[in-house]
Amino acid sequence: MDFRLSEEHEMLRQSVRDFAEGVLAPKVADRDENEYFDREVYDQMGQLGLTGIPFEEEWGGAGMDFIAYAIAVEELGRVDPSAADTLSAHLSLGTVPIWIHGTEEQKKKFLIPLVEGKKLGAFGLTEANAGSDAMGMTTKAELDGDEWILNGRKIFITNAEAADTYIVFARTGPKELRSKAFSAFIVEKGTPGFSFGKFEKKMGLRGTQNCDLIFENCRIPKENLLGQEGQGFKIAMETLDGGRIGIAAQSVGIAQGAYEAALNYAKQRVQFGKPIAALQAIQFKLADMAVDIKASRLLTYDVAWRKSQGLPYGLDAAIAKLKASETANWVANQAVQIHGGYGYTREFPVERMMRDAKITELYEGTSEIQRVVIGSQILR
Ligand code: CAA
């Protein structure tokens, strides 16, 4: 077993770090403060090839593995968790399902521009009464000749109005069919009957957009069904397994960024005549932070490796997401603690990091849902 990253992985890490520090860092606080999504940031991620990391060259990708993808999301998360979220929602949730389940025609039409970063993807599963209970969704799709007619409303959708291509889940069969009563569809922005509703005002990740997707007699071509009719719930669950790798990586990045900020501050901040880093109370905190970050990173790279090898990875994705998101929250909280009162002000980035961290325990399955997934698999 060799835990060293390849030269290609190290080079990717360096180039994403340079991008994050050079391009993202200068305006990360501004995007947070003024709550806006900057399409240019996404376009630049596309130009850097980040939107295509794990896809084959025939689809416009770089043909790298999911460890490379995790490294890229981690490096973005270290500086700008919103940018990490944009990429992760686009790639794991908005692009992978077409890569896995799309027909040749769907891949040519929809996958290539997503992989090349020319279009932005999104994933519409959540509804007002279908959060953790994803099967509770009521958005409906009915076949009418050569078209599906969509009716319903999705909420909290990441990449929101900024996206171009949406994977939307809807009921296509009666309740008795249970999980086989749902199907997945590809819906393009601009389709008549598809509009946007409420935009969320959020605690963190304010450099991303989240809003409602509204479908009112929205007619989409029959050929935009993704996978088979009745396969939608499985596609959603499988996609979320992969998405959780992205959230684990984003969480590792947030934790790393907060830890580095705390470490630097502790070396500079003088109290009782010496830097606070000389105090064992602070050293113990930094040591515990370093331990949890290392454990979270190893779990994240391990599940990314499993996915790249084609091994089962749903359990490992839930484990990595759970551990890394709880680490991000704990570490960001400790980083604020080490900064003392200054950490509570917007003069220091740890205040934003603590707010940005919270969502990692909530989206793509809450920590409670990760425990449900882990519990049910270990007891199977
Ligand atoms: N892969 C493939 N199939 C799966 C699966 C997986 N990981 N998990 C379950 N399934 C299948 C099961 O095998 C079962 O199939 P059969 O009906 O053929 O037996 C079917 O799906 C139903 O499974 P369950 O009975 O386990 O379903 P459940 O209703 O009990 O729900 C759950 C299971 C794990 C709680 C699931 O609902 C879940 O993951 N909920 C969380 C949803 C979630 O993560 N939402 C996040 C939304 S996206 C987001 O946050 C991003 C954003 O943009 C903001």
Side-chain angles (χ1 to χ4, degrees):
M1 197 186 269
D2 186 349
F3 284 97
R4 275 172 306 188
L5 293 174
S6 69
E7 204 177 315
E8 207 182 12
H9 287 140
E10 295 295 4
M11 278 166 58
L12 176 79
R13 183 189 293 287
Q14 196 52 54
S15 76
V16 183
R17 185 166 288 204
D18 291 345
F19 170 75
E21 290 178 349
V23 178
L24 300 179
K27 292 192 88 177
V28 63
D30 187 58
R31 286 189 290 273
D32 172 62
E33 189 73 26
N34 296 303
E35 300 189 46
Y36 65 93
F37 167 76
D38 184 351
R39 177 72 184 223
E40 191 143 325
V41 164
Y42 174 71
D43 292 344
Q44 285 179 284
M45 293 199 284
Q47 284 150 19
L48 201 59
L50 305 188
T51 51
I53 289 174
F55 308 105
E56 296 90 348
E57 284 174 24
E58 78 175 293
W59 306 118
M64 294 179 84
D65 60 11
F66 280 87
I67 300 179
Y69 170 59
I71 290 170
V73 175
E74 175 189 342
E75 287 299 326
L76 296 173
R78 174 176 166 269
V79 172
D80 184 349
S82 287
D85 181 41
T86 299
L87 181 67
S88 176
H90 160 80
L91 194 154
S92 299
L93 304 186
T95 306
V96 166
I98 304 177
W99 182 48
I100 303 291
H101 296 281
T103 60
E104 197 69 13
E105 287 67 36
Q106 287 173 337
K107 287 187 187 176
K108 281 190 187 136
K109 184 170 177 193
F110 301 111
L111 180 64
I112 293 174
L114 289 166
V115 167
E116 288 178 342
K118 295 192 173 121
K119 295 220 163 154
L120 175 62
F123 178 85
L125 175 69
T126 303
E127 296 183 8
N129 293 312
S132 292
D133 180 11
M135 242 192 264
M137 69 185 121
T138 56
T139 294
K140 268 202 307 211
E142 284 166 314
L143 192 59
D144 180 32
D146 283 345
E147 293 173 323
W148 287 95
I149 309 175
L150 276 177
N151 276 293
R153 189 180 193 113
K154 301 288 173 181
I155 65 163
F156 296 164
I157 306 307
T158 303
N159 292 340
E161 195 181 9
D164 305 287
T165 309
Y166 300 77
I167 312 290
V168 177
F169 298 88
R171 175 175 283 284
T172 48
K175 274 211 159 64
E176 305 79 79
L177 285 182
R178 293 196 43 79
S179 72
K180 316 258 180 329
F182 303 93
S183 302
F185 300 91
I186 305 169
V187 185
E188 290 178 275
K189 184 158 69 184
T191 308
F194 173 23
S195 60
F196 302 96
K198 183 178 156 221
F199 279 73
E200 301 301 335
K201 292 193 78 68
K202 297 173 292 175
M203 172 193 280
L205 290 195
R206 293 182 183 178
T208 58
Q209 283 186 348
N210 293 74
C211 82
D212 293 6
L213 311 182
I214 303 168
F215 302 98
E216 289 166 312
N217 292 322
C218 172
R219 288 179 170 268
I220 57 165
K222 197 176 165 188
E223 58 269 20
N224 281 21
L225 174 72
L226 181 64
Q228 304 299 313
E229 186 179 341
Q231 213 190 352
F233 192 77
K234 283 218 162 105
I235 294 177
M237 290 298 108
E238 225 180 76
T239 303
L240 285 167
D241 285 343
R244 287 166 189 159
I245 301 176
I247 305 308
Q250 179 197 29
S251 304
V252 172
I254 296 173
Q256 180 69 31
Y259 163 78
E260 286 176 26
L263 185 63
N264 289 336
Y265 184 81
K267 286 183 191 162
Q268 283 158 23
R269 170 74 171 161
V270 174
Q271 289 289 274
F272 306 109
K274 55 187 172 193
I276 60 170
L279 303 169
Q280 205 172 45
I282 302 297
Q283 287 173 8
F284 279 12
K285 277 193 201 302
L286 291 166
D288 288 342
M289 290 155 93
V291 169
D292 270 4
I293 293 169
K294 176 142 192 179
S296 300
R297 182 176 288 117
L298 287 173
L299 288 172
T300 303
Y301 292 179
D302 173 64
V303 63
W305 174 82
R306 292 185 72 85
K307 181 165 167 64
S308 305
Q309 297 295 314
L311 296 168
Y313 67 91
L315 169 63
D316 305 85
I319 290 175
K321 198 260 189 191
L322 176 63
K323 177 66 186 167
S325 61
E326 294 193 346
T327 294
N329 279 273
W330 185 79
V331 167
N333 195 318
Q334 293 306 307
V336 170
Q337 193 69 23
I338 289 172
H339 281 70
Y342 288 112
Y344 199 65
T345 70
R346 296 203 182 170
E347 265 176 64
F348 288 84
V350 289
E351 177 270 344
R352 173 183 50 77
M353 288 167 169
M354 189 172 159
R355 287 186 287 104
D356 283 347
K358 184 58 205 171
I359 190 66
T360 63
E361 293 179 320
L362 302 171
Y363 65 4
E364 301 200 26
T366 59
S367 294
E368 290 73 17
I369 288 295
Q370 306 314 318
R371 289 184 166 90
V372 166
V373 171
I374 296 163
S376 68
Q377 294 212 29
I378 59 183
L379 290 165
R380 194 178 275 171

